[in-house]
Amino acid sequence: MSKKNLDTTYPKEQQIYSLSFSANSAFNLSWDQTNCEGGMNEMQAYVSKVSNLVLEDTKAFLGSDWQRVWGPVVYADDPTSKSVHADNTMGLYYSKSGKLFVAAIAGTNLNSPFGWFVEDFSVNDTVTWESISGEANSGSIAKGTSIGLNILLNMKDPKTGLQMMDALKNFIENNSIAKGTEVAVAGHSLGGALSPVLALYLQNKQSRWDPNGLTIIGAYPTAGPTPGTSKFAKYYEKLIKQKKIIYVSRHNALDIVPHAWQASDISEIPTIYADYIEDPKGANPTKVVNGTLACAAALNALAVKINYKGKEIPFYNPYTQISPSTLLQGTFDSDLDDSINDKLSLIGLVIPKLKTYAPYFRNLVRFAAQAGTQHTTAYNTLLSISEFMEVYDQILKDNKPANNINMSPEELSVMELTRLDLQNIDEKTLEKALKEQG
């Protein structure tokens, strides 16, 4: 790391993004427990420890006066299970010199079925925003997003017993908060869907926690799927134009996650890497597998029928992304793709029955690996937070809980989609098996 980087504090947006990504410290981790609470306590302690280390060890990038106001708090839908993991995580931080609060929301935890199937994929039903905030003519959000929002609003800091909005209210009342201080709500992935709705809720309910109007509210989602309907988007955009809420949304053009759930975006998922991953010629099955599984959940979730006044009618996809959103042009990771090709090139030859299907399977793995890195580590460069992420990743490595295995985002994505463990592919063994076949 260069001395120049160590002596340079990040601009405001990069500080926000850094804290946003730091909320994901429990990603792909789990804690064993035998007494229905030990694992939960260990998980909460781990997330708090990482948060403290981040504020201490990244002052070169974030500045020196950040403090924890609330949390971070972890939520598990099944806190009494034998092995617990974080379904949601959120923390609130404050910098007096920056006149800035940051509410950082974690993304989908890869080992969280609740996060995937309830919060991410529950899109065939919607909930009116009026029923949540009392604002009329404000459209609707996805049921899964409403569930996630409700979880965030009801989280309690284990030390104080306070919900975040109450902690924010107390902090503003008991400290000299400058007028115009911003409350920036930020999150990546699932957090990219939840951060706009939490920011909107804070704006709608500002009189409850900031009756003197000292703060302004901002939403800083990255890589977020669409949280609500077209009417919801129009309502949100009206507030943006009225400068009642700051909205800064960014997503990678090569990331499949922000392509959910607007119909025109979903249709682009199967061919998003078409310029780089070619359809194998002359192989069966004749239809391209590449990309199909990646968007299957999205298509299935929307290709259903709903009951309306006693009649089943096709589900109309009402989802629309909130505008404006800045498109970041990512770069296809050719080195990763070459590595995947090298690892899998011999499978079809070693296992004759797979020979016909091997090109498709290889492309599916290539797709999954690329999707994984484009949704995660690609943003380190795109958001200009690479130096922070180097330090943060080292903190995670140095404090990794026992019995947890470190896997890269692309390895995790491939494992989730294909059940193939890239770490355990022994290329020499494959080559030896091929030679033995003659």
Side-chain angles (χ1 to χ4, degrees):
M1 194 178 301
S2 68
K3 188 176 186 298
K4 178 181 178 182
N5 288 333
L6 288 173
D7 293 339
T8 304
T9 303
Y10 280 161
K12 182 187 79 170
E13 282 189 28
Q14 276 62 52
Q15 293 185 46
I16 293 171
Y17 296 138
S18 297
L19 288 171
S20 167
F21 275 56
S22 76
N24 294 285
S25 59
F27 179 78
N28 202 45
L29 301 177
S30 60
W31 283 260
D32 294 333
Q33 60 180 4
T34 57
N35 59 356
C36 297
E37 62 178 22
M40 280 295 299
N41 292 337
E42 289 178 17
M43 179 167 62
Q44 180 63 60
Y46 166 79
V47 170
S48 297
K49 179 182 180 181
V50 170
S51 176
N52 288 334
L53 289 170
V54 165
L55 297 185
E56 181 63 31
D57 295 352
T58 65
K59 290 179 180 179
F61 313 118
L62 301 185
S64 59
D65 70 339
W66 281 98
Q67 58 181 299
R68 289 199 293 164
V69 176
W70 176 91
V73 178
V74 289
Y75 167 85
D77 183 61
D78 186 3
T80 63
S81 62
K82 292 183 179 180
S83 178
V84 294
H85 55 264
D87 293 309
N88 295 94
T89 306
M90 180 170 66
L92 179 66
Y93 305 88
Y94 173 67
S95 167
K96 184 175 182 179
S97 64
K99 295 177 61 178
L100 183 64
F101 289 95
V102 173
I105 305 171
T108 305
N109 191 346
L110 198 63
N111 62 350
S112 168
F114 180 85
W116 281 109
F117 295 107
V118 177
E119 296 183 78
D120 284 329
F121 291 159
S122 293
V123 297
N124 57 323
D125 286 320
T126 58
V127 178
T128 65
W129 187 250
E130 182 175 7
S131 69
I132 296 171
S133 72
E135 296 292 316
N137 300 314
S138 53
S140 301
I141 62 174
K143 182 180 179 180
T145 304
S146 72
I147 292 171
L149 174 63
N150 187 60
I151 289 170
L152 299 181
L153 292 174
N154 287 286
M155 281 179 166
K156 292 184 178 180
D157 190 309
K159 289 187 176 180
T160 65
L162 293 176
Q163 296 173 350
M164 191 196 74
M165 204 156 66
D166 294 327
L168 184 57
K169 180 177 185 294
N170 289 349
F171 194 88
I172 291 173
E173 290 177 348
N174 297 321
N175 293 272
S176 300
I177 304 298
K179 188 172 179 60
T181 294
E182 183 176 353
V183 179
V185 188
H188 187 79
S189 190
L190 171 62
L194 294 176
S195 53
V197 296
L198 178 58
L200 182 60
Y201 187 86
L202 291 176
Q203 192 279 330
N204 289 167
K205 302 293 184 181
Q206 188 169 3
S207 60
R208 284 190 188 178
W209 55 272
D210 181 20
N212 296 320
L214 293 175
T215 63
I216 54 177
I217 297 96
Y220 292 79
T222 54
T226 319
T229 64
S230 56
K231 189 173 182 180
F232 176 79
K234 289 179 181 177
Y235 167 71
Y236 211 115
E237 290 159 9
K238 181 179 179 181
L239 295 179
I240 296 170
K241 290 179 181 178
Q242 294 173 346
K243 298 184 178 180
K244 292 183 178 180
I245 191 167
I246 299 168
Y247 187 73
V248 181
S249 174
R250 304 190 187 284
H251 68 278
N252 178 6
L254 295 180
D255 182 0
I256 67 173
V257 173
H259 284 72
W261 298 99
Q262 185 171 308
S264 58
D265 291 337
I266 289 175
S267 65
E268 297 175 356
I269 293 176
T271 57
I272 192 169
Y273 306 129
D275 291 341
Y276 314 98
I277 303 176
E278 295 181 358
D279 174 13
K281 304 300 180 182
N284 280 319
T286 56
K287 292 186 178 180
V288 180
V289 174
N290 173 35
T292 301
L293 293 181
C295 69
L299 299 177
N300 288 339
L302 298 179
V304 298
K305 293 182 178 180
I306 59 174
N307 192 290
Y308 179 72
K309 294 183 178 181
K311 295 182 179 180
E312 279 196 346
I313 59 173
F315 179 73
Y316 168 68
N317 179 359
Y319 292 101
T320 302
Q321 280 279 17
I322 301 166
S323 294
S325 182
T326 301
L327 187 68
L328 307 172
Q329 187 53 60
T331 302
F332 187 82
D333 193 331
S334 298
D335 290 339
L336 170 64
D337 192 53
D338 290 342
S339 173
I340 298 295
N341 259 327
D342 290 343
K343 283 181 177 290
L344 301 182
S345 61
L346 299 175
I347 285 182
L349 298 175
V350 174
I351 308 174
K353 289 184 178 180
L354 288 181
K355 187 173 182 180
T356 303
Y357 301 94
Y360 283 98
F361 179 75
R362 184 167 63 247
N363 276 8
L364 181 60
V365 175
R366 293 168 66 193
F367 184 101
Q370 199 66 217
T373 196
Q374 294 296 340
H375 184 55
T376 53
T377 53
Y379 283 88
N380 298 351
T381 300
L382 293 173
L383 297 175
S384 301
I385 58 172
S386 294
E387 302 94 342
F388 169 88
M389 291 302 294
E390 287 180 18
V391 178
Y392 172 64
D393 287 341
Q394 190 61 51
I395 291 172
L396 296 183
K397 289 178 182 178
D398 292 344
N399 294 276
K400 183 176 71 70
N403 302 320
N404 281 277
I405 300 173
N406 284 331
M407 296 183 74
S408 67
E410 56 270 15
E411 289 169 340
L412 288 167
S413 297
V414 170
M415 174 75 80
E416 192 67 20
L417 187 60
T418 69
R419 316 316 300 170
L420 178 68
D421 185 352
L422 290 175
Q423 289 189 354
N424 289 323
I425 291 181
D426 188 338
E427 295 167 40
K428 290 184 178 179
T429 299
L430 288 177
E431 291 174 355
K432 181 179 179 181
L434 184 59
K435 289 180 180 178
E436 290 177 351
Q437 288 184 26

